[in-house]
Amino acid sequence: MNKVTAFLDGSAIYGSTMKTSNSLRSFQKGINNFSHYFNVKLIIFSIEKGQLLAIADAKGNPILPFDPTVQPCQPQSPGLKCFKAGDDRVNQQPLLMTMHTIWLRNHNNHAIRLSQINPNWNDEKLFQEARRITMAEIQHITYNEYLPIILGPLLMDYYRLYSKTNGNSYYESYTDPSTWNEFVTAASRYGHSQIKNFYMLNSYRNKTIFPLKDTFFDPTLHYNGMVSD
């Protein structure tokens, strides 16, 4: 657990090292071409300054970039490759892939809007500001929407976990933010019990139910545009 950053800084999106972060960035204003890999045509999504790399699914929507080195990778369609993100566990199952895709799109949307408001900002400025906004959104969702449901109002109040509605928050450099081993080996596993055995895909045409056990390390649903519309 402590191999990644101990802060709510979006490390699952951006990585925990500079090398990983740089490998996920576009560093250029715009490309819109085609990449052939294992006889599969993949559209490299149009990239603007400050954005994360993305490709397009079958419906033209941005999804995560692929990584030909990821193993294990078990796509139903030959030639498809698993995805690359800030966290190596992204390909374990479609729900994780979906969350990573949502945050990728969220960051890039912020970068686009910021570039429209501030046309003179360079790639680095746009990337860092979009990242800052995304991190704040993750923190807000965690402390104001997710934890109150899990812990309840009494524990939230007792441990003063609610975000402040006014005033300032300060960084405490002397506080150790690392995760306890007791939490890693026991308490954090409660999240696994929240995962269902079956999931339903809703579309304007029909509803499809799929068993989670058949989709591990399989990115096919995302390439087909069936999950993260």
Side-chain angles (χ1 to χ4, degrees), residues 14 50 107 110-111 114 118 121 123-136:
Y14 306 104
H107 171 96
H110 286 318
L114 287 170
N118 306 281
W121 282 7
D123 176 84
E124 185 66 22
K125 179 70 172 178
L126 287 169
F127 175 80
Q128 296 299 343
E129 291 302 319
R131 179 172 176 260
R132 189 195 306 271
I133 295 171
T134 301
M135 288 164 54

Side-chain angles (χ1 to χ4, degrees), residues 54-159:
I55 62 175
D57 63 18
K59 297 180 180 179
N61 296 315
I63 56 175
L64 298 162
F66 65 87
D67 184 351
T69 67
V70 170
Q71 292 295 333
C73 186
Q74 303 166 347
Q76 297 177 25
S77 301
L80 296 182
K81 291 297 163 183
C82 286
F83 298 120
K84 183 175 185 178
D87 192 312
D88 293 338
R89 295 167 291 188
V90 57
N91 294 292
Q92 283 186 356
Q93 41 103 338
L95 304 179
L96 279 175
M97 300 178 205
T98 299
M99 288 300 298
H100 280 275
T101 301
I102 290 172
W103 286 113
L104 167 83
R105 294 177 181 178
N106 183 73
H107 171 96
N108 286 353
N109 284 336
H110 286 318
I112 291 173
R113 293 181 181 181
L114 287 170
S115 67
Q116 293 170 345
I117 300 172
N118 306 281
N120 295 325
W121 282 7
N122 60 22
D123 176 84
E124 185 66 22
K125 179 70 172 178
L126 287 169
F127 175 80
Q128 296 299 343
E129 291 302 319
R131 179 172 176 260
R132 189 195 306 271
I133 295 171
T134 301
M135 288 164 54
E137 290 171 328
I138 292 173
Q139 293 168 7
H140 176 86
I141 291 171
T142 301
Y143 281 97
N144 293 284
E145 299 180 23
Y146 178 69
L147 284 179
I149 295 174
I150 301 299
L151 300 178
L154 292 179
L155 287 178
M156 291 293 295
D157 286 331
Y158 182 81
Y159 289 104

Side-chain angles (χ1 to χ4, degrees), residues 27 80 82 152 182 198 216 229:
F27 286 111
L80 296 182
C82 286
E182 292 85 351
F198 294 87
F216 287 107
D229 285 354

Side-chain angles (χ1 to χ4, degrees), residues 11 13 32 51 55 74 136 149 152 163 167 181 194 209 211 213:
S11 59
I13 308 168
N32 191 7
Q51 291 192 358
I55 62 175
Q74 303 166 347
I149 295 174
S163 298
N181 286 331
Q194 295 179 300
I209 297 177
K213 68 179 181 64

Side-chain angles (χ1 to χ4, degrees), residues 33-51:
N33 57 7
F34 293 88
S35 174
H36 290 80
Y37 195 84
F38 283 86
N39 298 320
V40 177
K41 181 181 285 188
L42 299 174
I43 301 175
I44 306 299
F45 209 77
S46 179
I47 303 296
E48 299 294 332
K49 289 188 296 184
Q51 291 192 358

